């Protein structure tokens, strides 16, 4: 398996008159659902897919509960989740109130187990057409047409 990517041209908004450079853009090769994960885990353990689904759903509820209480939720090698805030500014510390908080975002920091798998030297990449591509680019590594 390989991580698929397309190539797209991006213009620097600070220099719109200069031709943009071309960059890699990851293209998803599919979607894996919670049911898919449960099936995969059930085949590699003695648990049923229903048992696995119940555990995953309970884990999600517990993560939500602890994030709402301001905790960092650390899941060993998987990584950690933490709430991050966006707010408007106040002139002084004393004038700042919770009413100035405008959004809460979830930050995920991958753990060593995930990060170690995402080393460029350890991955394979495959070029694919972009989602809006009008012309299909030929891939010399493709088995199609051979």
């Amino acid at each position: 398996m390989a991580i698929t990517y397309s190539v797209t041209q991006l213009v620097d908004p600070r220099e719109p008159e200069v031709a943009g450079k071309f960059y890699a853009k990851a293209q998803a090769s599919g979607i894996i659902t919670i049911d898919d994960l449960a099936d995969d885990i059930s085949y590699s353990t003695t648990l049923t897919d229903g048992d696995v689904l119940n555990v995953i759903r309970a884990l999600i509820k517990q993560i939500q509960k602890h994030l709402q209480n301001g905790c960092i939720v650390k899941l060993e090698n998987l990584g950690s989740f933490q709430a991050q805030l966006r707010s408007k500014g106040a002139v002084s510390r004393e004038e700042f109130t919770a009413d100035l908080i405008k959004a809460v975002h979830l930050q995920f920091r991958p753990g060593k187990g995930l990060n170690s798998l995402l080393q460029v030297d350890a991955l394979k990449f495959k070029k694919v057409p972009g989602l809006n591509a009008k012309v299909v680019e030929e891939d010399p590594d493709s088995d199609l047409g051979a």
Side-chain angles (χ1 to χ4, degrees), residues 35-60:
D35 291 322
D36 297 328
L37 290 174
D39 283 343
D40 291 347
I41 293 170
S42 72
Y43 286 122
S44 63
T45 67
T46 59
L47 300 171
T48 67
D49 61 334
D51 292 336
V52 175
L53 277 172
N54 287 335
V55 169
I56 293 172
R57 288 181 178 133
L59 175 64
I60 291 168

Side-chain angles (χ1 to χ4, degrees), residues 90-124:
V91 176
S92 68
R93 183 179 308 272
E94 294 74 30
E95 290 182 40
F96 188 91
T97 66
D99 291 336
L100 294 173
I101 296 172
K102 297 301 172 195
V104 180
H105 298 275
L106 182 63
Q107 180 182 37
F108 174 72
R109 287 185 222 96
K112 289 180 182 177
L114 282 183
N115 264 341
S116 65
L117 296 174
L118 297 177
Q119 300 300 316
V120 172
D121 296 343
L123 295 171
K124 293 181 181 179

Side-chain angles (χ1 to χ4, degrees), residues 72-91:
I72 296 173
V73 179
K74 187 169 184 177
L75 301 175
E76 291 189 17
N77 289 331
L78 178 64
S80 60
F81 298 89
Q82 182 178 6
Q84 294 292 321
L85 306 178
R86 290 205 179 141
S87 68
K88 291 186 175 183
V91 176

Side-chain angles (χ1 to χ4, degrees), residues 1-4 26-33 36 131:
M1 294 297 291
I3 294 177
T4 55
Q27 295 292 333
S29 59
I31 297 173
I32 303 300
T33 67
D36 297 328
L131 296 177

